[in-house]
């Protein structure tokens, strides 16, 4: 049986599969391989027939150059040096296509490979990479991204230019301290590790070593990576302030030069008294650009004291910090907020020092204050680019993964993970164009964005995949939100060319993390499995000829209706959630609720639709429908998981049911659930032999038979579903 399943998977897979035998030379080096078997998808990708490939040595019929063929052989040879699956990207000069390949060993000289076109992935990756590079290279500051182990993973054009490397890509992968500090790297590495706990760091004035060995004055900021387990460790941005630093040094040498230069410096140069108002005795013209006030308005507190320009939240802090600087005879450095003349808040960076007389008393304070607003905006833009999806503006996979890790570290349970996948995106893109596909993605993103207001994390984690982290949310609420999202998606319909029309639908799955025992990977895998099974069930319900035919036959030959099936399915899911069933069991329960009476298609029509009571002989025929349904289900790949449920859905908890008088917990769980739901639906719907009863009457009837006909524990849960 399993062999047939595997052979069917091999032959019918949309991925290209090839079974090869490797040929080794006397030194056990791979020199060629023979194709033993292929599936149809592989033949389609290679534009070849089975007769052209199977049983042939690749080197005999391939017109690949020795170099390209050798690359294929070398890549495949790796499967024999490891027990793991080998993944690689390989270009075929013969077909002029690039492939994404996964290969694994099945014997000492045989291996199997799956092959898929990589061009679409490559195009998407290259487009995103190009967009990112355009943004980073458009920034005047130098930007260097380094990993947690301090290796350069990205460097923009400005950084190369400032450091004198002229866009030298050879810097990628090098140690950041070796590049920036060369022979002084050891001490700088130690200093950096000391400041890591205090990041982020903004506008730290320091020196970097240029490519020609000279030192360069820069204003440097370091933005840390939030979370863990990411290739991006730090984002370092810097700008060349050599001119500024040189001017400051010249300022110390020449009082005459001072007046000429300070008016052209960014920000403002000042000299003030150490008093409660910071009374200014000298200010450069830069104060106008920085604060909106003229020099004459602030000098000597003529109209406004500089202390009144400082934001109230920082006034006391600056007084205390300056006093510490004076006591320690050190340099003042601080970022704080001011209020401009227009009443706007603005971030500034100040660097200054006390001036002492011959006796050591402070006679003045001198320094420079620089506008930080633009710099902070750029840092926020970079952070936004790293953590947001470019098309939708939602958070991206990196932010989603880091947030999950953070919540798990904080043990902020419970939290749910909901994964939603837009159905039929390939069909939409192929038939209506990628512009239409993008609009569907944007519309669905708009649906999900509303959940950000509930303090949920919404992210686009794939092309047509979105994920939500639902903080402090129990499983039942997550399930209800999932249904709500699916219903909202169905409200979007689209008109395409030639009168074609389509409706947005999504398949969703979820899982709730209740404690630290289960891993994040297991939670995500469970949610993804649920989503894929829901997509499969949806596909089965709408497209598969076998199930569609069965349901149509049930409707035509019995009292079953589509509404009855859907009602049963919806109630079953609610009971399953209350019971805390696993997603795989939930899917089987849903399918059984809709198709439990499939065996009735084998019962004569006049018995099924008889308006009055059945005779003893007719009743014996009717009681055969669970066995008929079981025989139908066991022979169907789609229905086999629920075959036992179909066989037992008329068994009673006390063992007096049919067809096999199974009792108690020996009856499959999903059958015990469906028997209650089926009874409820039968009582509350009109039948040929009696009118329907109220919901309240149906509940009382079911409670009456708890412990005899029905599982009493499930009856309790069933009743709570309607409370």
């Amino acid at each position: 049986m399993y062999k047939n399943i595997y052979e069917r998977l091999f032959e019918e897979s949309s991925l290209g599969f090839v079974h090869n035998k490797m040929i080794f030379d006397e030194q056990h080096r791979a020199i060629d391989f023979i194709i033993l078997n292929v599936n149809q998808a592989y033949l389609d990708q290679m534009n070849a027939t089975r007769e052209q490939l199977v049983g042939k040595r690749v080197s005999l019929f391939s017109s690949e150059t020795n170099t390209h063929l050798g690359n294929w052989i070398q890549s495949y040879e790796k499967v024999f040096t490891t027990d793991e699956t080998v993944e690689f990207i390989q270009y075929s000069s013969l077909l002029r296509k690039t492939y994404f390949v996964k290969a694994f060993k099945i014997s000492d000289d045989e291996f199997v490979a799956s092959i898929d076109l990589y061009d679409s992935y490559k195009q998407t990756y290259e487009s995103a990479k190009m967009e990112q590079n355009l943004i980073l290279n458009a920034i005047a500051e130098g930007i260097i991204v380094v990993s947690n182990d301090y290796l350069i993973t990205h460097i923009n054009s400005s950084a190369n230019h400032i450091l004198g490397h002229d866009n030298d890509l050879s810097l990628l992968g090098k140690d950041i301290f070796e590049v920036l500090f060369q022979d002084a790297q050891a001490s700088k590495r130690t200093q950096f590790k000391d400041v890591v706990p205090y990041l982020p760091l903004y506008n730290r004035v320091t020196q970097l070593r240029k490519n020609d060995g000279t030192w360069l004055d820069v204003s440097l900021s370091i933005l840390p990576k939030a979370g863990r387990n990411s290739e991006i460790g730090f984002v370092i941005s810097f700008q060349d302030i050599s001119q500024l630093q040189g001017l400051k040094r010249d300022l110390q040498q020449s009082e005459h030069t001072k007046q000429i230069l300070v008016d052209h410096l960014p920000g403002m140069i000042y000299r003030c008294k150490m008093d409660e108002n910071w009374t200014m005795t000298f200010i450069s013209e830069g104060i106008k650009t920085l604060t909106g006030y003229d020099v004459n308005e602030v000098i000597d507190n003529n109209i406004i004291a500089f202390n009144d320009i400082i934001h109230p939240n920082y006034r006391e802090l600056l007084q205390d910090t300056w006093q510490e600087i004076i006591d320690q005879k050190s340099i003042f450095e601080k970022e704080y907020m001011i209020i401009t003349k227009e009443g706007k808040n603005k971030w500034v960076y100040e660097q200054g020092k006390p001036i002492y007389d011959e006796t050591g008393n402070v006679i003045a304070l001198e320094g420079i204050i620089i506008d930080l607003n633009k710099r902070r905006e750029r840092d926020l833009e970079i952070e936004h680019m790293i953590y947001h999806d470019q098309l939708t503006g939602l958070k991206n996979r990196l932010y989603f993964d880091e947030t999950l890790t953070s919540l798990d570290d904080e043990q902020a349970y419970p939290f749910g993970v909901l994964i939603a996948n837009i159905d039929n995106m390939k069909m939409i893109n192929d038939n209506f164009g990628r512009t239409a596909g993008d609009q569907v993605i944007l519309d669905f993103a708009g649906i999900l964005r509303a959940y950000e207001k509930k303090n949920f994390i919404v992210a686009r984690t794939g092309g047509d995949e979105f994920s939500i982290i639902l903080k402090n949310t129990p499983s039942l609420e997550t399930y209800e939100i999932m249904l709500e999202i699916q219903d909202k998606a169905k409200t979007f319909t689209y008109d395409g060319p030639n009168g074609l029309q389509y409706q947005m639908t999504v398949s969703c799955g979820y899982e709730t993390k209740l404690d630290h025992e289960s891993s994040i990977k297991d939670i995500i895998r469970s949610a993804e499995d649920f989503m894929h099974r829901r997509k499969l069930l949806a596909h089965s319900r709408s497209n598969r000829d076998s199930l569609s035919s069965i349901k149509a036959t049930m409707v035509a030959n019995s009292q079953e209706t589509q509404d009855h099936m859907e009602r049963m399915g919806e109630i079953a899911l609610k009971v399953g959630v209350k019971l805390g069933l696993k997603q795989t069991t939930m899917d089987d329960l849903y399918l059984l609720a809709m198709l439990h009476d499939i065996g009735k298609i084998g019962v004569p029509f006049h018995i099924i639709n008889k308006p009055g009571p059945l005779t003893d002989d007719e009743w014996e025929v009717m009681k055969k429908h669970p066995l008929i349904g079981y025989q139908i289900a066991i022979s169907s790949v789609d229905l086999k998981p629920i075959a036992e449920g179909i066989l037992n859905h008329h068994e009673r908890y006390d063992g007096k049911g049919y067809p096999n008088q199974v009792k108690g917990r020996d009856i499959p769980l999903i059958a015990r659930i469906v028997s209650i739901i089926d009874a409820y639906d039968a009582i509350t719907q009109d039948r040929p032999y009696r009118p329907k009863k109220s919901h309240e009457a149906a509940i009382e009837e079911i409670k009456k038979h708890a412990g005899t006909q029905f599982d009493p524990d499930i009856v309790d849960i069933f009743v709570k579903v309607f409370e």
Side-chain angles (χ1 to χ4, degrees), residues 60 200 206 216 458 582 594 644 678:
L60 296 181
T206 187
L216 177 72
V458 180
K582 293 182 178 180
M594 292 197 301
E644 290 293 332
D678 193 27

Side-chain angles (χ1 to χ4, degrees), residues 191-202 204 222 224 234:
Q191 293 175 17
F192 181 82
K193 290 180 179 179
D194 290 339
V195 301
V196 164
Y198 304 102
L199 296 180
L201 180 72
Y202 293 102
R204 176 63 60 86
I222 303 175
F234 306 94

Side-chain angles (χ1 to χ4, degrees), residues 67 169 177 189 219 239 302 334 508 523 568 607 626 631:
T67 299
L169 295 179
F177 297 104
R189 189 186 304 273
S219 175
Q239 61 180 353
N302 284 338
K334 185 65 69 176
C508 298
I523 294 298
M568 291 283 293
I607 294 178
Q631 292 169 340

Side-chain angles (χ1 to χ4, degrees), residues 680-714:
Y680 171 82
D681 195 73
I683 295 170
T684 56
Q685 303 298 317
D686 286 324
R687 294 296 168 123
Y689 49 85
R690 59 149 179 81
K692 66 180 180 181
K693 295 183 180 180
S694 67
H695 162 76
E696 292 75 16
I699 293 295
E700 289 302 318
E701 185 74 14
I702 287 171
K703 289 165 67 175
K704 176 182 177 182
H705 293 282
T708 54
Q709 183 176 352
F710 305 123
D711 183 330
D713 295 331
I714 299 178

Side-chain angles (χ1 to χ4, degrees), residues 177-188 209 213 215:
F177 297 104
E178 179 184 347
V179 172
L180 297 185
F181 303 105
Q182 298 178 21
D183 55 354
Q185 60 177 288
S187 61
K188 294 296 184 180
R209 183 84 81 173
W215 286 100

Side-chain angles (χ1 to χ4, degrees), residues 50-68:
R50 190 177 299 274
E51 292 73 21
Q52 290 174 325
L53 300 183
V54 176
K56 305 294 193 308
R57 290 175 62 147
V58 175
S59 60
L60 296 181
F61 64 82
S62 173
S63 61
E64 299 271 349
T65 64
N66 290 336
T67 299
H68 284 95

